[in-house]
Amino acid sequence: MSYAAPLDGRVDWVERPDGTRLRSVVVGDGAHDVLLAHAYGFSADLWNMVATALAEADHRVIAFDQRGHGGSTIGADGIGSAQMASDYAAILEHHDVTDGVLVGHSMGGFVGINFLLDHPDVVAERLQGCLLMATFAGDVSRKNPQNKLQIPLIKSGILLRLISISAFGKAFTRSLTGSYQKGMAEAFVPVFSSHDHATLIPIMEAMTDESRYAQLGEISLPTSIVIGTKDRTTPPFHTDDMHAGIEGSRLVSVDGKGHCLNWEAPDVIVNEISRLSGVSDPS
């Protein structure tokens, strides 16, 4: 499958009380529900490899464009960790997810942690597991020169101008991967560039300024944490801290891979989701 292949599924819109419209895509009709929440600057389409494999493994996959990303809008309440966490609850309820697995990548995992902590009733009713992939519980620029450089460049608009030049676009994509492959930049850069990043500044600031590490012990949902050993965007110390904070969590390190495990190690992600959903033997 091409990295640029669009997600092939049924598009459904979820309307929020503040006027936000969330674009969701349903792939497959299996017995096991999975909700895929993408990273900053990504879209639901970048779950293409993971979603296709999950659908073939008896899952009903629901991927969605986060507020302000892809086809989804930003309503009157604006964008931030609280608003986006409430979107997760709305998506789960709209699609009547039961015994589902929530998968959060990078920003999607950060917002997912906020959702797990702030919407426990919905979690108890709708989920049986969570996979936190290449992510963090806040304070994303801590001990991270790459983020300290890239986030201000994104906020200023300079990075978007730079990555319109092919060589810079490839270099930016390479900075997100541990095992860069031909075609990744050509698929990723147009998606990243299509967003109005000026409207996304509040969630970038939330990722750097907020922290939920001290509350991770409140999460009781079975949780797997997956990280690439060459991830420079959310280095493994974040996942080490999350693993220590979430009692009973499972930590999976993927050797030689980086931040884009949706493309770099889709088989690992699918296998871990299958464990959480009960499709495969968890031994």
Side-chain angles (χ1 to χ4, degrees):
M1 175 183 287
S2 166
Y3 295 116
L7 198 57
D8 185 13
R10 175 176 59 84
V11 175
D12 196 0
W13 294 89
V14 180
E15 307 285 344
R16 303 290 287 120
D18 73 332
T20 295
R21 300 185 76 231
L22 300 171
R23 174 182 174 267
S24 66
V25 183
V26 181
V27 183
D29 58 0
H32 304 273
D33 287 339
V34 180
L35 179 64
L36 302 177
H38 65 74
Y40 179 89
F42 286 51
S43 74
D45 284 339
L46 273 61
W47 287 113
N48 47 13
M49 295 183 179
V50 170
T52 299
L54 284 170
E56 292 171 352
D58 196 28
H59 291 88
R60 179 179 67 138
V61 182
I62 301 150
F64 72 104
D65 291 338
Q66 302 254 20
R67 181 177 290 232
H69 290 73
S72 295
T73 64
I74 301 174
D77 290 345
I79 188 168
S81 58
Q83 300 94 314
M84 296 170 78
S86 72
D87 291 342
Y88 287 32
I91 293 279
L92 290 168
E93 291 167 351
H94 177 87
H95 290 284
D96 194 22
V97 170
T98 57
D99 293 329
V101 173
L102 170 64
V103 182
H105 177 203
S106 195
M107 176 192 74
F110 166 67
V111 176
I113 288 169
N114 280 270
F115 167 68
L116 296 179
L117 292 169
D118 297 340
H119 298 266
D121 292 344
V122 180
V123 172
E125 181 181 0
R126 302 288 179 181
L127 296 179
Q128 67 172 341
C130 177
L131 190 152
L132 300 172
M133 177 182 117
T135 191
F136 54 99
D139 200 10
V140 73
S141 291
R142 173 167 55 104
K143 297 190 294 186
N144 194 321
Q146 176 171 296
N147 287 348
K148 288 179 180 178
L149 171 65
Q150 288 185 350
I151 290 175
L153 288 175
I154 295 169
K155 292 169 70 173
S156 69
I158 293 172
L159 184 63
L160 289 182
R161 294 195 291 273
L162 288 174
I163 64 175
S164 66
I165 303 168
S166 177
F168 282 104
K170 289 180 179 178
F172 179 47
T173 307
R174 285 179 184 275
S175 76
L176 301 176
T177 63
S179 56
Y180 178 83
Q181 300 294 320
K182 183 179 180 180
M184 285 183 175
E186 290 77 6
F188 172 67
V189 171
V191 173
F192 191 87
S193 299
S194 70
H195 294 95
D196 180 359
H197 291 270
T199 66
L200 303 179
I201 286 175
I203 189 58
M204 279 190 278
E205 292 177 341
M207 291 190 293
T208 58
D209 298 343
E210 297 176 11
S211 175
R212 303 303 293 266
Y213 283 99
Q215 296 168 271
L216 292 176
E218 299 173 22
I219 296 174
S220 58
L221 192 71
T223 300
S224 291
I225 302 167
V226 185
I227 186 67
T229 60
K230 291 188 176 181
D231 191 334
R232 297 179 295 277
T233 303
T234 54
F237 68 78
H238 281 290
T239 41
D240 289 343
D241 290 349
M242 289 191 296
H243 179 47
I246 302 174
E247 186 175 356
S249 60
R250 168 180 161 89
L251 180 61
V252 179
S253 294
V254 189
D255 189 49
K257 305 302 181 182
H259 193 61
C260 297
L261 297 176
N262 51 309
W263 284 344
E264 295 183 74
D267 53 335
V268 174
I269 303 306
V270 170
N271 288 341
E272 202 59 32
I273 293 168
S274 295
R275 287 171 55 92
L276 288 163
S277 64
V279 172
S280 65
D281 183 355
S283 61

